[in-house]
């Protein structure tokens, strides 16, 4: 998540013609604004926070979510058409190196190799705010090609709360350095920034992104246990920008 400067904005206009299939129970949400982590029949778990202006937390100073219907069949229009406006770092999203590296890769330049493959989810105790080198080394992380932290944010459901919580768990620079030196391909966390709120400098982002390691922030891991998974996390393919919302799914790997 960007710090100390205005977040990039993007606007999408999406058209959808609603047919009968869209009205069947299997397509209806359990509750508006919820961020369910649905376990699919194939074993895949949706680790994406639902984007909803009523429930999505926004980092202090970032752009708000604005969703509107330009056309609405429920109001007599012949089709449904929506407009979305939001910051590039809304909800579950990916930071590309360009976020804090002047000549770093932009979001559409990220290699799929880093975004798809084996990942290890590490459960960080609720009492821990700073995931520093000492905390990192209390867990079996070495050898994992991608490392994801499940923290107090998941336990407390903060990715489904519109309140911005400043006391989220973050990755300290010394832990980021260990991960970078180990050449992990991706790092993830379950709140909208991997950096300490109010940090004097964005060292965690600079260390990881400086090594070309994308950061996935805002993962919804409430239904995910620690362990090894297959991960697919794909951002919207936006040209020339530093970040974008993404869809993330996990599937437990066989022992």
């Amino acid at each position: 998540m960007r710090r100390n400067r205005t977040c990039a904005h993007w606007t999408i206009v999406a058209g959808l013609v609603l047919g009968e299939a869209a009205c069947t129970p299997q397509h209806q949400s359990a509750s508006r604004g919820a961020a369910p982590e649905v376990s699919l029949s194939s074993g895949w778990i949706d680790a994406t926070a639902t984007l909803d202006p009523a429930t999505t937390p926004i980092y202090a100073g970032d752009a708000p979510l604005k969703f509107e219907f330009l056309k609405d069949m429920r109001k007599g229009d012949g089709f449904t058409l929506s407009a979305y406006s939001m910051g590039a770092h809304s909800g579950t999203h990916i930071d590309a190196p360009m976020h804090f590296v002047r000549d770093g890769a932009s979001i559409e330049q990220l290699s799929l190799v880093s975004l798809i493959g084996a990942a290890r989810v590490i459960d960080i105790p609720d009492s821990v705010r700073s995931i520093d080198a000492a905390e990192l080394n209390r867990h079996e992380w070495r050898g994992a090609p991608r490392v994801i932290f499940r923290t107090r944010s998941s336990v407390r459901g903060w990715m489904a709360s519109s309140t911005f919580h400043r006391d989220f768990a973050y990755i300290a620079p010394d832990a980021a350095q260990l991960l970078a030196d180990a050449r992990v391909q991706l790092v993830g966390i379950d709140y909208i920034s991997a950096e300490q709120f109010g940090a004097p400098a964005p060292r965690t982002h600079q260390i990881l992104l400086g090594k070309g390691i994308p950061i996935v922030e805002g993962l919804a891991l409430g239904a995910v246990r620690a362990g090894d998974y297959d991960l697919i996390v794909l951002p919207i393919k936006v040209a020339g920008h530093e970040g974008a919302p993404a869809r993330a799914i996990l599937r437990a790997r066989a022992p």
Side-chain angles (χ1 to χ4, degrees):
M1 174 62 64
R2 178 176 309 176
R3 304 294 161 257
N4 303 322
R5 53 194 178 99
T6 302
C7 195
H9 293 64
W10 53 271
T11 301
I12 294 176
V13 176
L16 174 63
V17 177
L18 301 180
E20 292 182 357
C23 298
T24 59
Q26 65 186 11
H27 292 277
Q28 296 175 353
S29 299
S31 61
R32 184 183 181 276
E37 292 117 356
V38 180
S39 192
L40 307 179
S41 59
S42 61
W44 288 101
I45 301 169
D46 191 347
T48 315
T50 300
L51 287 170
D52 186 328
T55 60
T56 299
I58 304 296
Y59 198 94
D62 280 353
L65 296 180
K66 295 181 180 179
F67 291 4
E68 63 176 321
F69 288 102
L70 304 179
K71 299 288 184 179
D72 193 338
M73 293 179 72
R74 296 167 298 184
K75 296 181 178 180
D77 294 319
F79 58 95
T80 299
L81 185 70
S82 300
Y84 308 153
S85 177
M86 66 190 75
H89 301 259
S90 299
T92 304
H93 66 275
I94 295 180
D95 290 354
M98 181 183 173
H99 191 23
F100 280 102
V101 179
R102 182 180 178 85
D103 298 317
S106 53
I107 199 72
E108 87 282 9
Q109 295 173 329
L110 292 179
S111 170
L112 293 178
V113 171
S114 63
L115 305 177
I116 301 173
R120 181 164 298 162
V121 175
I122 295 174
D123 207 1
I124 302 297
D126 178 80
S127 60
V128 173
R129 283 194 60 202
S130 176
I131 307 171
D132 56 16
E135 177 62 31
L136 179 62
N137 283 330
R138 292 187 181 98
H139 306 273
E140 296 292 332
W141 68 273
R142 294 187 182 276
R146 298 165 191 82
V147 176
I148 294 172
F149 296 105
R150 183 184 185 277
T151 76
R152 63 201 329 231
S153 299
S154 291
V155 174
R156 302 177 185 206
W158 284 352
M159 279 308 298
S161 168
S162 61
T163 300
F164 173 59
H165 296 272
R166 301 186 177 195
D167 55 341
F168 57 85
Y170 60 89
I171 304 169
D174 58 353
Q177 192 64 60
L178 285 178
L179 293 165
D181 291 344
R183 298 182 179 180
V184 299
Q185 297 181 47
L186 175 143
V187 174
I189 199 162
D190 56 355
Y191 204 56
I192 46 179
S193 181
E195 198 87 49
Q196 179 184 13
F197 180 80
R203 290 297 299 138
T204 292
H205 280 85
Q206 291 170 341
I207 290 166
L208 294 174
L209 299 178
K211 291 290 187 179
I213 301 168
I215 305 171
V216 185
E217 297 171 330
L219 288 163
L221 301 179
V224 177
R225 297 182 179 182
D228 291 328
Y229 292 82
D230 292 315
L231 168 71
I232 299 175
V233 55
L234 299 177
I236 295 173
K237 195 173 182 180
V238 181
H241 283 270
E242 81 300 332
R247 191 68 181 259
I249 58 174
L250 293 163
R251 181 174 64 186
R253 294 174 67 88

